[in-house]
Amino acid sequence: MLPKKERKKTMDKIFKKIDSTYYYKTCKIISILLDNAIEALTKVGLENQIHKKPNEMSGGQMQRVSIARALYVQPTLLIFDEATSALDQAAEAEVQQAMLCSRGRRTNVIAAHRLSTLEICDSVLWLEGGRLRASGSAQSVMAQYRSVMEGRA
């Protein structure tokens, strides 16, 4: 066991590294996500696999719980595959806020069809037919995408 002075120095170092604003925002976002799913969570149970009782939760509730659980463990890499497809715009905005809050702390890989999901991304890859169609900033790739889609209409 470390002497008292050494323990205090070590604890001071640890707590200086904790960004309380980041953790506060993350907890707030998790709370908002779970708020609309709390009734269903009481039926399913917080620690149970949510797919075991699919009739107890809507698709949006399952997505909220899954995202909240993922944010809670603070991973360095988080992969979202159509993770916000069943969320309303307000809930999607909260998830986007969580992603923005984690910039520089976590890599988020997002697969999405909804363009609004991609607006916060640092870089976007547009895949079509199994091939890379475009890559770059969210603004440039989305502009190319819109241009192509307008031409197809």
Side-chain angles (χ1 to χ4, degrees):
M1 184 171 205
L2 291 172
K4 190 173 183 178
K5 283 185 180 182
E6 288 298 313
R7 281 195 314 249
K8 183 173 179 355
K9 284 181 187 176
T10 303
M11 293 306 286
D12 286 346
K13 285 180 187 176
I14 291 170
F15 286 111
K16 282 182 183 176
K17 291 181 181 180
I18 294 174
D19 181 347
S20 60
T21 304
Y22 168 71
Y23 286 102
Y24 171 76
K25 286 181 181 177
T26 302
C27 289
K28 183 178 175 188
I29 291 162
I30 290 169
S31 137
I32 290 168
L33 287 169
L34 289 179
D35 190 40
N36 290 336
I38 203 75
E39 184 181 328
L41 264 178
T42 57
K43 294 177 187 173
V44 175
L46 188 59
E47 296 175 4
N48 294 329
Q49 296 178 5
I50 56 177
H51 71 276
K52 298 267 183 182
K53 297 183 180 180
N55 296 335
E56 301 291 338
M57 299 178 87
S58 70
Q61 288 172 325
M62 285 191 276
Q63 283 186 331
R64 287 170 189 267
V65 170
S66 298
I67 292 168
R69 286 176 174 175
L71 293 173
Y72 177 76
V73 296
Q74 302 294 325
T76 55
L77 172 67
L78 191 54
I79 300 172
F80 287 94
D81 184 6
E82 294 293 344
T84 61
S85 62
L87 299 181
D88 58 29
Q89 288 181 333
E92 182 182 9
E94 293 299 333
V95 172
Q96 288 178 336
Q97 185 61 37
M99 289 183 219
L100 288 171
C101 183
S102 69
R103 272 208 169 124
R105 301 172 196 275
R106 174 177 60 235
T107 300
N108 297 307
V109 178
I110 304 168
H113 287 90
R114 193 185 299 173
L115 295 182
S116 60
T117 304
L118 305 175
E119 290 173 346
I120 62 159
C121 296
D122 295 325
S123 59
V124 172
L125 304 175
W126 173 14
L127 303 174
E128 185 175 61
R131 296 185 184 271
L132 180 63
R133 181 80 188 248
S135 66
S137 71
Q139 290 175 335
S140 69
V141 173
M142 289 169 64
Q144 290 176 52
Y145 177 81
R146 286 185 179 110
S147 175
V148 168
M149 291 300 124
E150 287 171 6
R152 289 183 183 173

